[in-house]
């Protein structure tokens, strides 16, 4: 699978839920390619913006789309990586603020 195919597959599923890919295609495809690298490396598509430990159970909360993406998009209009965004974020109707890390520090111990 390549980034374009992943884009098409994920777009259908996520847009039905009200989440959209960042309209900045270059950024979006960089992140999708990183997801594919993580899938090849670890066997799952872990968040490309976080360090994975390589244990699926330990990383379960950051398998894309991560469990933090929903509250991030609700509060900031974007997930931590800026891969998934709200329609309002893409349309420039809300500010593009920094999205702080929600993952608890104890989950980041390797």
């Amino acid at each position: 699978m390549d980034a374009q195919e992943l884009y098409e597959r994920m777009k259908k599923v996520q847009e039905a839920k009200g989440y959209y890919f960042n309209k900045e295609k270059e950024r979006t495809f960089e992140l999708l390619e990183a997801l594919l690298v993580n899938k090849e490396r670890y066997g799952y598509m872990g968040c490309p913006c976080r360090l994975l430990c390589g244990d699926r159970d330990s990383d379960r909360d950051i398998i894309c789309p991560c469990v933090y993406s929903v509250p991030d998009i609700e509060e900031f209009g974007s997930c931590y990586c800026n891969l998934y965004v709200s329609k309002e974020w893409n349309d420039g109707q809300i500010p593009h603020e920094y999205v702080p890390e929600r993952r608890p520090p104890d989950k980041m111990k390797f």
Side-chain angles (χ1 to χ4, degrees), residues 71-78 89 94-100 102:
D72 285 347
I73 294 168
E74 287 175 2
E75 186 174 346
F76 299 100
S78 170
W89 193 94
I94 60 174
H96 294 186
E97 296 180 37
Y98 170 76
V99 179
R102 286 184 194 267

Side-chain angles (χ1 to χ4, degrees), residues 80-96:
Y80 183 68
C81 299
N82 301 134
L83 177 61
Y84 291 111
V85 300
S86 67
K87 185 175 184 329
E88 295 79 14
W89 193 94
N90 258 348
D91 291 345
Q93 296 173 350
I94 60 174
H96 294 186

Side-chain angles (χ1 to χ4, degrees), residues 3 6 21-22 24-38 46-49 64 79-84:
L6 182 59
F21 280 125
N22 185 332
E24 295 176 25
K25 293 277 180 146
E26 185 175 340
R27 172 76 175 151
T28 295
F29 277 85
E30 285 174 359
L31 292 167
L32 291 173
E33 287 168 12
L35 283 172
L36 291 170
V37 166
N38 284 344
C47 179
C49 298
C64 188
C79 71
Y80 183 68
C81 299
N82 301 134
L83 177 61
Y84 291 111

Side-chain angles (χ1 to χ4, degrees), residues 95-109:
H96 294 186
E97 296 180 37
Y98 170 76
V99 179
E101 175 63 89
R102 286 184 194 267
R103 193 174 197 217
D106 64 316
K107 291 255 188 188
M108 295 186 258
K109 293 180 183 171

Side-chain angles (χ1 to χ4, degrees), residues 1-11 21 28-37 39-40 45:
M1 176 181 329
D2 66 8
Q4 183 63 46
E5 186 178 351
L6 182 59
Y7 177 87
E8 294 301 327
R9 285 184 181 187
M10 292 176 77
K11 181 178 181 192
F21 280 125
T28 295
F29 277 85
E30 285 174 359
L31 292 167
L32 291 173
E33 287 168 12
L35 283 172
L36 291 170
V37 166
K39 175 138 177 86
E40 185 176 314
M45 289 193 294

